[in-house]
Amino acid sequence: MPTDDLSTSRRLGEGAVGIFDSGIGGLTVLKAIRQALPAERLLYFGDNAHVPYGPRSLEEVRGFSHGITRALLDQGCKLIVIACNTASAAALTSVRQAYPQVPFVGMEPAVKSAVEHTRTGVVGVIATVATFQSELYASVVERFGVGVEVLHQPCPGLVKQIEAGEFDTPLTESMLRGWLEPMLARHIDALVLACTHYPIVRPLIERIVGPDVRVIDPAPAIARQVKRVLEQAGQLAAHDAPNGTLLWTSDEPSEFAVMMTHIGMPRMEVRAGKWVEATLHLS
Ligand code: DGL
C-alpha cells in the first residue's frame, strides 16, 4: 500500500488542491488532475454518507458543499475543485462569494465542445435531475447552444448503480438504453457526460451509442483549467515538491477503497470524515 508524506503534518492539506464529490465520481476528475499536475498534493473527499446528491434540493447540496469547502480550507488547501456537476450547479457561485480570496474550479456541462463537434445539429446531455434544474445549466445552453438542438436527459438512479459497482450489468445497460436510444432516434452525434460519475460507465455508454456519437467527458479540460489557475496565481507546486494523495469518505472507508480499485486506481488508504450536524471533520 503506497504511503504518503502528508500524514505527519498537522494540517494535512497545506498547499494542496482540495477536490470533492458526492462519492466516487470525482475520482475521474482527480485522475485527470494527477496526470496534468504530478507535483501537486491532492486531497479528495467523497460525501458517500449523502450520495446521491442528484435527487436532493439545490439548497441542501449547497449546504453540504459549504461544509466540505470549510473542512478542506481548514486543512490548508490552496484551491478547491468541485468535482461534481450537481454541487457546482448548486454552490459554485455561493462558495465563491463566501471565500473571495480562494480560487475555485467547478464543473460545467461541456455543451460548447458538443456544439463545436456536431454535424447533425443535435446534441445530447445526460446529468442529474438537480443539475438540469440549475441556473448554471440554463446559462450554458443559452450561451453555447445557439443554432443547435440540445436534448437533455436526467438519469435518476444511475449514480446509485455506479456507487454499487454495477458498471456493466443488465440493469445498468437497460436503464442507459432507455435514456440514450430516444436521443439516438433524434440523431444526436455528440453526448455530454455532465455528471462526474458517468465516465465510469463510459465503455457501456459507447457500446450503446456506437462510433458515430462523440462522448464528451470534461475532466481533462478541468485539469487544464486547474493548471491555468494555479499558474496565474503563481501557486504551482515546484517540480520536486512532495506530492501525495489523501482520501476521505463520509461513509465506510474500506468500501470506498474497493471502489477505487474497481475504477483502476491504485490501492490507497482512505480515511473516515465525520459530519457533526453541518460541520465536517477531516483528520
Ligand atoms: N458526481 C455527481 C455529479 O457530477 C453525482 C451527483 C449525485 O450524487 O447524484 O453530478
Side-chain angles (χ1 to χ4, degrees):
M1 194 182 280
T3 55
D4 58 65
D5 56 295
L6 304 181
S7 46
T8 48
S9 57
R10 218 163 48 83
R11 294 220 300 169
L12 297 169
E14 204 63 70
V17 173
I19 305 168
F20 76 87
D21 177 47
S22 61
I24 59 168
L27 293 174
T28 60
V29 181
L30 178 139
K31 257 181 166 176
I33 294 174
R34 174 49 78 220
Q35 249 168 21
L37 295 163
E40 296 294 334
R41 296 175 170 204
L42 305 180
L43 254 65
Y44 184 90
F45 174 72
D47 194 9
N48 296 72
H50 296 130
V51 72
Y53 278 2
R56 296 176 186 270
S57 70
L58 290 169
E59 199 185 344
E60 190 177 19
V61 175
R62 195 171 305 129
F64 298 147
S65 304
H66 275 266
I68 299 165
T69 298
R70 179 73 269 156
L72 291 172
L73 291 176
D74 285 348
Q75 292 292 340
C77 288
K78 62 184 173 185
L79 178 147
I80 307 288
V81 181
I82 307 187
C84 173
N85 288 78
T86 309
S88 299
L92 186 56
T93 308
S94 78
V95 288
R96 279 186 171 141
Q97 277 164 0
Y99 304 101
Q101 75 290 2
V102 177
F104 286 91
V105 174
M107 307 301 297
E108 190 177 272
V111 172
K112 187 168 184 261
S113 309
V115 169
E116 281 163 4
H117 170 79
T118 186
R119 298 287 167 267
T120 61
V122 190
V123 305
V125 182
I126 52 175
T128 65
V129 171
T131 294
F132 285 128
Q133 283 168 348
S134 68
E135 279 172 30
L136 179 72
Y137 180 70
S139 96
V140 164
V141 173
E142 196 180 302
R143 276 182 286 145
F144 304 118
V146 183
V148 301
E149 204 178 343
V150 183
L151 307 180
H152 67 268
Q153 176 61 61
C155 302
L158 185 54
V159 166
K160 258 193 171 165
Q161 288 294 104
I162 294 169
E163 288 282 338
E166 302 231 2
F167 305 148
D168 197 348
T169 60
L171 177 59
T172 307
E173 176 165 359
S174 85
M175 289 164 83
L176 275 165
R177 283 193 184 280
W179 295 312
L180 298 174
E181 282 172 354
M183 290 204 274
L184 292 172
R186 293 177 65 181
H187 306 294
I188 58 161
D189 62 355
L191 178 70
V192 177
L193 307 184
C195 169
T196 54
H197 278 74
Y198 300 171
I200 296 171
V201 289
R202 185 175 181 150
L204 176 56
I205 290 173
E206 285 182 331
R207 207 164 73 221
I208 295 169
V209 298
D212 296 335
V213 176
R214 176 177 293 190
V215 175
I216 300 168
D217 168 14
I222 294 297
R224 287 195 295 276
Q225 174 68 1
V226 171
K227 190 172 182 187
R228 263 195 302 274
V229 172
L230 289 176
E231 259 162 11
Q232 276 162 14
Q235 287 195 333
L236 269 181
H239 287 302
D240 55 356
N243 65 14
T245 303
L246 271 187
L247 304 142
W248 281 269
T249 173
S250 50
D251 202 6
E252 182 45 58
S254 58
E255 278 175 29
F256 194 89
V258 169
M259 290 308 294
M260 288 179 56
T261 57
H262 283 181
I263 64 168
M265 294 195 59
R267 212 174 162 84
M268 278 184 268
E269 185 196 350
V270 181
R271 295 157 184 252
K274 291 262 173 291
W275 284 103
V276 180
E277 290 170 9
T279 304
L280 174 64
H281 297 272
L282 301 177
S283 56

